[in-house]
Amino acid sequence: MSKQIENYFKANQALWDAKTPVHIESEFYDIPGFLAGNSTLREVELNEVGEVRGKTLLHLQCHFGLDTLSWAREGAIVTGVDFSQKAIAKAREMASEVNIEAEFVEANIYDLPEILLDKKFDIVFTSYGTIGWLPDLDRWAQVINHFLSPGGTFYIVDFHPFIWMYDYDLQKIEYPYFNAGVIAEENEGTYADPNAPIKLAEYGWNHPSSEVINSLINQGLEIEFLNEFPYTTWNCFKNLKEIGKHKYVFKHLGHKIPYMFSIRARKGNGIL
Ligand SMILES: C[S@@+](CC[C@H](N)C(=O)[O-])C[C@H]1O[C@@H](n2cnc3c(N)ncnc32)[C@H](O)[C@@H]1O
């Protein structure tokens, strides 16, 4: 990892440490609802991941663990990983508050093989706002492959790379579709509270669909499906309207564009 990339990660860590307390208090994340028994998982991932009961699940970039703990409520044996110290502290606190057994690891996902060593998982899961924080998807896919048991499942649902070409309310193209290197910005607020007094540097990367898929194929994973969705399940952009439960589209674009994609891939079990 170059010194420059390390500095980008440090800045992003500080950003997520600043966002986390705001997110914890936000209606967007609805912690009281979660504590009362609600799941934060959406129909898309609930329908597409497959059976999780009794399976070990590694959640990459878990933020403060609401989805991780929701998977535990579905019967999975969960481990969540995030590099925000504040997020992992809250995840651990909530796990004990709702009495759910869960392991939370504070780490950069790229360093995880040195931390969890040879531990293997039936499912590796990641969702909504993940790969845009990662400079190198080949290394990301190596980490996924490293942790998957033979026959195990990798699943991602995230915002479509089409969306990341645009400004926040999808009015004009501002960024390259392709990965043209780091995108350095200083944005105000956060998607869970646009008025929050946060204004810090952030560093992201755009990844076209081909880069995501090829990174997984290059690790020998077998792609089971790639789906694209004409709505977002999270109300996290400007100018959205609600069209159904957990379904939002831009007011001026409706269903015309892809908002999210999902991929499920399987690691072979070595039997030909
Ligand atoms: C948008 S959130 C993930 C969203 C999650 N689905 C949620 O809303 O609960 C992105 C998370 O990625 C984490 N993150 C970003 N880069 C990371 C890295 N290199 N290693 C580990 N975590 C990272 C951030 O700390 C943040 O918690």
Side-chain angles (χ1 to χ4, degrees):
M1 191 87 47
S2 74
K3 196 82 208 142
Q4 192 173 39
I5 297 280
E6 271 175 32
N7 288 338
Y8 294 151
F9 283 147
K10 267 193 205 138
N12 284 347
Q13 237 171 323
L15 174 79
W16 283 101
D17 278 344
K19 282 178 187 244
T20 298
V22 174
H23 289 188
I24 288 169
E25 295 301 323
S26 70
E27 273 180 36
F28 183 95
Y29 278 100
D30 186 21
I31 289 185
F34 171 79
L35 295 176
N38 293 347
S39 172
T40 52
L41 298 169
R42 299 308 197 220
E43 286 298 311
V44 171
E45 56 265 27
L46 284 167
N47 291 334
E48 290 190 338
V49 168
E51 183 55 76
V52 302
R53 189 156 294 279
K55 296 195 177 165
T56 51
L57 182 149
L58 174 65
H59 183 182
L60 300 178
Q61 294 176 252
C62 68
H63 203 23
F64 55 97
L66 289 177
D67 286 358
T68 326
L69 295 170
S70 294
W71 281 122
R73 282 180 173 157
E74 299 291 321
I77 302 149
V78 297
T79 303
V81 181
D82 202 283
F83 71 1
S84 160
Q85 182 271 327
K86 292 244 166 75
I88 290 299
K90 184 66 185 176
R92 288 178 182 148
E93 182 193 308
M94 278 196 312
S96 78
E97 205 171 335
V98 289
N99 210 9
I100 290 176
E101 201 143 315
E103 185 180 357
F104 285 102
V105 181
E106 183 190 325
N108 189 319
I109 63 145
Y110 287 126
D111 299 333
L112 211 51
E114 287 115 68
I115 296 169
L116 291 182
L117 300 173
D118 287 331
K119 217 165 165 185
K120 301 287 173 200
F121 295 85
D122 300 317
I123 299 165
V124 176
F125 170 83
T126 196
S127 72
Y128 304 116
T130 56
I131 52 176
W133 299 103
L134 305 178
D136 182 343
L137 290 195
D138 283 325
R139 270 195 70 188
W140 169 75
Q142 275 166 20
V143 170
I144 291 161
N145 189 41
H146 173 92
F147 285 112
L148 275 178
S149 303
T153 295
F154 169 66
Y155 179 84
I156 177 170
V157 56
D158 210 327
F159 301 107
H160 200 284
F162 177 91
I163 295 271
W164 298 127
M165 287 195 295
Y166 285 82
D167 55 354
Y168 192 40
D169 46 4
L170 253 80
Q171 296 294 337
K172 65 174 196 305
I173 292 185
E174 266 195 15
Y175 309 96
Y177 175 75
F178 296 98
N179 186 351
V182 70
I183 298 171
E185 295 193 302
E186 206 178 80
N187 291 316
E188 284 196 75
T190 164
Y191 53 86
D193 180 356
N195 300 318
I198 300 172
K199 197 164 189 277
L200 291 169
E202 61 180 73
Y203 299 93
W205 292 265
N206 275 358
H207 300 290
S209 301
S210 53
E211 193 187 341
V212 182
I213 290 172
N214 288 331
S215 70
L216 299 167
I217 291 173
N218 289 340
Q219 291 303 311
L221 299 182
E222 182 188 313
I223 308 289
E224 293 185 314
F225 57 72
L226 159 67
N227 286 325
E228 296 173 290
F229 299 86
Y231 57 82
T232 160
T233 55
W234 287 94
N235 185 8
C236 58
F237 301 102
K238 247 185 174 162
N239 269 336
L240 292 172
K241 68 174 176 190
E242 194 168 2
I243 52 154
K245 191 178 177 214
H246 296 153
K247 286 189 178 160
Y248 306 87
V249 293
F250 285 102
K251 286 178 190 148
H252 62 304
L253 291 170
H255 290 305
K256 286 182 189 153
I257 59 161
Y259 290 77
M260 316 189 305
F261 74 95
S262 64
I263 295 173
R264 196 172 73 188
R266 197 170 160 274
K267 179 163 172 154
N269 54 18
I271 302 165
L272 293 177

